[in-house]
Amino acid sequence: MLSQFSRLRPVFTALMLVCCFVATATAGTPALFSPVQQECSRIGHKLGSVSVRDCMNRNLRDTGARSVKGQAILMKEYLPLLHQRKPIGRVLLIGGTHGDEYAAVSIVFKWMQMLDRHHSGMFYWHVTPLLNPDGLLLHRPSVRLNAHGVDLNRNMPSPDWYNKTAAYWKSRGFDPRRYPGTAPLSEPETKWLFEEIRSFKPDAIVSVHAPYGVLDFDGPPVGPSDIGYLHLKLIGVYPGSLGNFAGIQHEIPVITVELPHAGIMPTRRQISNMWGDLIRWLRYNIPKEKTIKAYAAFDAITDRLIASSPLPRHNKKGQTQQERNTKAAIPDIPSPAVIRPEGPTLTPSNVHLNNQVMN
Ligand SMILES: [Zn+2]
């Protein structure tokens, strides 16, 4: 009997060790129930530079907004520290408009980590690290578009949206990667963004993309000449883009950070230098007089856009025309027949800036 026990002892020991390990590993790990926990789990398993714990430690909150596939749009708010100082302005920071630009999500997490340590109250921040959770998290590999196959950076209201986005999309050979949707703000993600800008009234918007390795600026002049190793190169505006909508129509400075690689993170020093330059520019350049005036006229500007492109109109019950009649005929913009599989990611070496459509 004793000799049998001695033979089995290594097995018992191994079993005990496994039990202890499992108990230790699961102790203190909350069940993945809340939308924030579920999404952090998906983000942590998708991105090499952001772990589940990194995501959970940011204490993001559920905005209540949902993507096409019902994933939460998360946000972190860094409130003004009024006992210390009056903030210079409000800043909205957005990552992950295009789901296949991994680094554009990861770097926003890194910057949030810096804000968590050093938020001084200089600005009042709203940070949304992932505007397009369906594009990043529901595909392998991830895709640029949302779950309706819409490019969210072509779906914002801009003048004469129907004619101009149709003409632009045609000029792009009906490229499915730049499908603007059937109507401005047809997508839940862009609807949320529109309402967020309307309600938060940021003095500047910073939107992170990849992989063109430049800095773009739309809005009241003049933008930063450099953000870290990225240099200003105005790449023009597109119908339905955030830069067109917020920067040109509403005169809110929009800084578009185009990282050089979608799948490779900048170094720690580059991440830190970019942040330092961004803060410096914001500190001395916002709020802009034009932006303040434009906010006073936000609804009038929106009405002008509605007059030029039939935006969803709100009735007295807060219901939009689009919600009442989701099948409104849009003759000029056919739906994409097939969403083509994603091609290889462009790298700066094979991008021709002058004729390449970006962000
Ligand atoms: Zn992009």
Side-chain angles (χ1 to χ4, degrees):
M1 187 72 185
L2 263 177
S3 66
Q4 247 181 347
F5 179 77
S6 349
R7 274 207 310 277
L8 289 173
R9 196 160 60 180
V11 179
F12 285 131
T13 310
L15 274 172
M16 287 293 288
L17 280 172
V18 169
C19 289
C20 286
F21 176 77
V22 169
T24 310
T26 54
T29 305
L32 298 174
F33 289 135
S34 78
V36 175
Q37 289 166 329
Q38 289 177 35
E39 197 151 310
C40 275
S41 173
R42 291 191 207 105
I43 289 171
H45 288 97
K46 173 66 85 167
L47 297 175
S49 306
V50 182
S51 68
V52 178
R53 179 177 291 216
D54 287 337
C55 180
M56 289 301 296
N57 284 349
R58 302 286 72 76
N59 291 315
L60 289 150
R61 76 170 169 82
D62 182 359
T63 60
R66 293 292 178 267
S67 66
V68 173
K69 292 291 184 186
Q71 296 194 89
I73 295 177
L74 306 179
M75 189 170 79
K76 176 79 180 270
E77 190 170 17
Y78 295 87
L79 292 165
L81 306 176
L82 291 174
H83 56 287
Q84 289 180 21
R85 68 203 301 180
K86 187 172 176 289
I88 292 170
R90 298 163 182 246
V91 186
L92 174 62
L93 170 60
I94 307 163
T97 303
H98 294 135
D100 58 354
E101 299 169 1
Y102 308 99
V105 181
S106 298
I107 198 168
V108 175
F109 274 97
K110 301 293 177 202
W111 285 339
M112 272 195 287
Q113 212 169 337
M114 293 165 77
L115 270 175
D116 282 339
R117 284 197 207 113
H118 305 295
H119 176 49
S120 65
M122 190 187 292
F123 303 105
Y124 176 12
W125 293 89
H126 276 195
V127 184
T128 300
L130 179 55
L131 180 64
N132 179 8
D134 292 350
L136 176 73
L137 302 172
L138 297 187
H139 300 266
R140 186 177 289 182
S142 301
V143 298
R144 174 183 173 92
L145 310 170
N146 80 343
H148 283 152
V150 172
D151 181 344
L152 300 179
N153 205 31
R154 300 291 182 273
N155 193 245
M156 298 302 286
S158 56
D160 200 10
W161 187 94
Y162 286 92
N163 290 329
K164 287 187 178 165
T165 54
Y168 157 78
W169 196 44
K170 189 178 173 190
S171 76
R172 298 293 306 154
F174 300 107
D175 178 2
R177 282 174 56 81
R178 290 183 171 77
Y179 176 57
T182 54
L185 303 185
S186 59
E187 305 310 301
E189 298 89 351
T190 47
K191 258 185 207 145
W192 176 81
L193 182 57
F194 177 85
E195 288 301 333
E196 165 65 15
I197 293 168
R198 189 210 287 267
S199 58
F200 181 50
K201 297 182 169 49
D203 295 298
I205 299 174
V206 181
S207 180
V208 191
H209 287 259
Y212 297 103
V214 294
L215 178 66
D216 190 19
F217 181 80
D218 296 294
V222 176
S225 54
D226 303 283
I227 295 284
Y229 63 148
L230 302 177
H231 309 298
L232 185 68
K233 182 173 182 74
L234 301 179
I235 56 181
V237 288
Y238 306 108
S241 72
L242 176 66
N244 191 337
F245 161 71
I248 306 297
Q249 305 309 317
H250 286 281
E251 309 217 51
I252 306 161
V254 177
I255 299 168
T256 303
V257 175
E258 273 278 352
L259 300 172
H261 304 282
I264 304 170
M265 279 291 279
T267 63
R268 282 175 71 162
R269 175 178 286 239
Q270 286 164 341
I271 292 169
S272 170
N273 287 347
M274 275 191 276
W275 187 246
D277 286 350
L278 194 55
I279 298 298
R280 247 186 306 282
W281 188 86
L282 291 169
R283 181 175 186 171
Y284 296 110
N285 290 278
I286 67 165
K288 297 218 183 248
E289 198 60 37
K290 280 188 166 184
T291 308
I292 295 166
K293 280 187 190 156
Y295 272 122
F298 193 94
D299 288 341
I301 293 167
T302 304
D303 286 346
R304 201 179 70 216
L305 292 171
I306 289 171
S308 69
S309 43
L311 264 174
R313 292 165 194 272
H314 289 266
N315 69 5
K316 284 178 187 160
K317 291 178 185 167
Q319 194 183 25
T320 65
Q321 182 178 331
Q322 196 176 25
E323 283 156 358
R324 293 196 304 277
N325 181 15
T326 53
K327 297 201 186 234
I330 311 298
D332 292 329
I333 305 175
S335 295
V338 179
I339 302 299
R340 283 202 294 266
E342 297 300 288
T345 301
L346 291 170
T347 58
S349 60
N350 60 8
V351 169
H352 304 286
L353 291 177
N354 293 333
N355 53 23
Q356 180 70 47
V357 174
M358 295 191 274
N359 71 50

